[in-house]
Amino acid sequence: MCGIVGYVGTENAAPILLRALRRLEYRGYDSAGAATLYGGVVFIKKDTGRVEEINARLKLESMPGAIGIAHTRWATHGAPTTINAHPHTDCTGSIAIVHNGVIENYLALKKELLDLDHALASRTDSEVIAHLIEEYLKKGVELKEAFRKTLLRLEGSYAVALVSSQSPDTILAARREAPLIIGVGKGFNMIASDITALLDMTGEMVFLHDGDMAILTPDSYRVYRIDTGEAVERPVKTVDLTIEMAEKHGYPHFMLKEIFEQPETLRNSLRLQIEYVDLLAELLDKGRVIYLVGAGTSYNACIAGSYLFSQIARLSTFPVIASEFIPNYGASIGVDTVILAVSQSGETADVLSALEYARMRACTILGITNTVGSTLTRVARAYVLQNSGPEIGVAATKTFTSQVLVLAKIALRLARLRGKIAQYEIDEFNSWMEKVPSIVHDVLERVEEPIKKLAERIAESRVVFMLGRGVSYSTALEGRLKLMELSYIPCITYPAGESKHGPISVIENGVPVVFIAPPDEYRKLNIGSIMEMKARGAYTIVLGDSSDQDLKQLADHYIEMPKIHPLLSPIPYTIPLQLLAYYTAVVKGYDPDKPRNLAKSITVP
Ligand code: G6P
């Protein structure tokens, strides 16, 4: 996730762009930059670090010109370096672009451009856009059409804006599966990734649709469809929000905003560079023993991953809590051990010490992380980025669901590589993966209200049980972690089959027991466990398929879920549990964004 902004008008563009960049920093903050146009020349300043640091070093605000674009970056392709920071230019330096999104076919486009003798400076996917436009311009195509033809060649997602010395009072912009909004002003127009970047300049906004491109001048804006080039009308809407409300997209907390962002973040996580996924799959396949190592939420994703690897790829792996890795397995690892570390930040000390220990013993280290340039990306032989964008709420939400989806994708590539499951099963699983973002969208629409009511009941509880079998054990663990860390209610989780071996003795009248029961092969056993708990007075809350009448009748409280492949169920089934934790904290008067005693990233052992 990155943030982009553009201004064309009569005032100095740079101070306006700088203000907008500060507001967009929540979308990414590893590097930033701006391009302005003045006297037929494109001026560019960019660097790594936070916007404020870069401005102190480079004086972004003193850049000349009444037109410009700017970008704040959350690296997805290419490390966070000055060269990889946006804006990017063509070979002549007369076109500058900023881009948010992922160009999936950039390797092919880059090759084509290199064959045509283009000099590409960065390792980003974005830079190809400027060079493709340059190529069309060379052939005599005019700028708007060169831009459109370029967009038609891009696979993936983008919100893109460009300035060119050929057209000194015009910004061109376009979007596909990434947000982009026009701010309409008196004597100026702006474009930005979100309304927060525009609000101090104007409340009049045009929300572009997917597949729209726009041309902005100081006193006009026109919108066209990218596929046909035809002009379309988009209404101007008045946005009446304070900047503070807008930063959270109107949500009262970042956590809720991030929960609702999941259809988008999951879509981004599906767009992985398949080359890297394959490399990870190949290296995993070579291991004699494979450990999945993580802490907190990332460990819960590792548990889901071990079920996925086993059932989809027929590969046994051991999920391990990072701080226990050395004591438990340190003595037995060696050159034929593979460790796949999962860490949102890529900086968790317990994970890094396990990796350092393993590195000294010649193990192969692999990673899944949300943070390019993190220590994990430097110590890993190969890594995959989960593309969730920055997460501000301390409790991980969108990063968990993305991690599970990335693990599922790796499992599927491994299955293909190992030839262990039938082609039709691979195809079926793949099509379920593609449907996950829309299923999650559906869950968010249907469960919020019922969960709000349930939260009132849970907020009164002294203890809560959260149980599941098979891969749903990982869902239960993640639901329990969220509820415990936000509402401070002690919460007990174990694989449901363990009840009779001890924990059931805690059950007394009214104790809430949440069962994660997607329609899988454990359905009958789940029914048995639910009856067992009910018989001892538990208040049973069951998450199950909307068509399962038996479960619905049995449960004291039933949460209806849409159909999903059982092995992917941790993704949608975690959503109601995230909301339950959030609303229980709210009912109890706690701040879900800042749970006590916790930090987003724990960089001490
Ligand atoms: C902290 C955070 C958790 C997170 C864990 C692991 O405890 O509060 O939300 O899951 O660290 O973080 P990582 O960045 O390695 O995923």
Side-chain angles (χ1 to χ4, degrees), residues 411-430:
L412 190 65
R413 298 301 287 192
L414 252 171
R416 217 183 286 254
L417 182 74
R418 291 162 63 79
K420 297 274 182 173
I421 61 171
Q423 181 64 40
Y424 83 90
E425 289 176 278
I426 292 181
D427 292 345
E428 194 194 338
F429 191 72
N430 194 37

Side-chain angles (χ1 to χ4, degrees), residues 295-298 342-346 348 351 394-396 403 485 598-602:
T297 288
S298 297
V342 180
S343 172
Q344 185 282 128
S345 61
T348 297
V351 175
V394 167
Q403 285 169 346
E485 65 186 344
L598 299 179
K600 185 75 194 152
S601 181
I602 308 284

